Amino acid sequence: MASLGSRIVTATSNMVRKVGQSLDGLGSSMEVCKYKDRLVPSTRFVAVDGVTPTVDPLTAFVAPSASVIGDVTLGKNSSVWYGATVRGDVHKVSIGENTCVGDRAVIHVAKIQGDFPSVIGDNVTIGPGAIVHAATLKNSVVVGANAQVLDGSVVEQNSIIAAGAVVTPGTTVGEGQYWSGSPAKMVRKVSAEELASSAENTVETLELARMHHFETSKDHEQIQKDEEAYEDAMTRDPEYWQPDPNAKEEGDVLGQGSPGLIFDTVLTNPEEGLKLKQQRKAA
């Protein structure tokens, strides 16, 4: 039987909730320009005219906030980072293997003024904020941050476009050349050290992409478990009993877990825990 104090707390909380709902309704009725938040569907992968992106099952990472749209082919171990857009709506975009499309970068195509796809080879690095518009990048090309490679341009393999450079439409960048400026011009040949650094960066980016893929693929239950484990590790005395992460959970108490875990909530509604446990078993 509940104590007098618990009944008073329950009654008070119910009353406060009803008052809050009444105030919320009153505020809504007084609004001049009413606005309702709506659920925005994910734009991670979007079809255009029935054509959906083709993504290799072994693609390293497509960020939750990235957009891959229309006739796009994304190769093995490639990554599209946060806020980037790859849009193949009026032509196709082809991206090879081990290629990185950096944060907020944009890859698009052309159909009205010219007729150019965007074709990007293997081991290409496209820096954050860069634009590749209806252009071709051969293997092992580096496009620096905020650089632009525009319609009909071709960048041959092992070349580097410096940060902020603008490669004007129809330009051909020769193999192993370093271009800079606006409009971009050839400055010098790419050094062996720069080629080695580019190859090393490709491997490091792939490892980082796999880590981000692992973290962003977690569901809410796994995220909650991670948060609980972190809080437990931060608050548990090192001299106190330490849980074994590989041990099976035993001695479940009313569906709330094993003794020894530092709970975030108290055992106020054990029947809910039991219901949840039965649902999990049924699934």
Side-chain angles (χ1 to χ4, degrees):
M1 185 174 179
S3 65
L4 178 61
S6 64
R7 282 185 289 176
I8 293 174
V9 170
T10 301
T12 304
S13 62
N14 290 334
M15 182 182 66
V16 171
R17 185 181 299 109
K18 290 179 180 179
V19 171
Q21 291 173 344
S22 300
L23 291 174
D24 182 63
L26 177 62
S28 298
S29 65
M30 296 173 63
E31 288 181 351
V32 177
C33 299
K34 294 186 177 181
Y35 176 78
K36 181 182 290 186
D37 288 327
R38 299 186 182 275
L39 179 64
V40 178
S42 171
T43 58
R44 200 177 195 180
F45 300 105
V46 180
V48 175
D49 292 334
V51 180
T52 58
T54 302
V55 179
D56 191 285
L58 297 178
T59 294
F61 176 57
V62 177
S65 59
S67 296
V68 180
I69 303 168
D71 191 1
V72 177
T73 302
L74 189 60
K76 182 174 67 175
N77 291 331
S78 291
S79 55
V80 182
W81 291 79
Y82 300 94
T85 300
V86 182
R87 181 154 59 98
D89 48 1
V90 296
H91 218 308
K92 68 177 182 178
V93 176
S94 175
I95 299 175
E97 299 180 359
N98 305 313
T99 289
C100 165
V101 180
D103 303 75
R104 308 182 317 283
V106 175
I107 300 175
H108 195 215
V109 290
K111 192 71 174 178
I112 299 174
Q113 295 181 341
D115 189 358
F116 301 106
S118 281
V119 181
I120 299 168
D122 301 334
N123 304 306
V124 174
T125 298
I126 299 172
I131 297 175
V132 177
H133 196 275
T136 297
L137 309 180
K138 299 293 183 66
N139 296 341
S140 302
V141 165
V142 176
V143 178
N146 297 309
Q148 300 181 33
V149 184
L150 302 179
D151 304 47
S153 296
V154 177
V155 182
E156 297 291 345
Q157 66 180 5
N158 295 326
S159 296
I160 296 177
I161 309 301
V166 178
V167 179
T168 53
T171 301
T172 298
V173 176
E175 180 178 346
Q177 296 179 356
Y178 185 100
W179 284 50
S180 183
S182 179
K185 302 291 182 183
M186 177 184 171
V187 176
R188 56 178 172 81
K189 287 287 189 178
V190 174
S191 67
E193 290 78 10
E194 287 171 325
L195 291 176
S197 176
S198 175
E200 183 180 355
N201 181 67
T202 298
V203 175
E204 292 177 352
T205 301
L206 174 58
E207 294 176 355
L208 189 62
R210 286 172 174 166
M211 183 189 73
H212 279 259
H213 173 73
F214 175 76
E215 291 295 333
T216 57
S217 297
K218 293 179 179 179
D219 58 20
H220 70 281
E221 291 182 351
Q222 184 60 52
I223 292 173
Q224 183 177 356
K225 287 181 180 178
D226 289 350
E227 291 176 349
E228 291 174 352
Y230 175 78
E231 182 179 353
D232 183 80
M234 291 296 100
T235 55
R236 186 183 294 270
D237 192 312
E239 297 182 359
Y240 186 63
W241 176 83
Q242 300 297 318
D244 181 2
N246 299 318
K248 292 185 178 180
E249 194 171 273
E250 297 178 355
D252 185 72
V253 178
L254 298 175
Q256 300 292 325
S258 300
L261 176 68
I262 300 177
F263 293 104
D264 291 332
T265 56
V266 296
L267 300 176
T268 52
N269 296 296
E271 65 278 2
E272 296 298 325
L274 292 172
K275 288 180 182 178
L276 180 61
K277 187 174 182 180
Q278 291 172 355
Q279 290 174 359
R280 290 175 177 173
K281 285 184 177 180

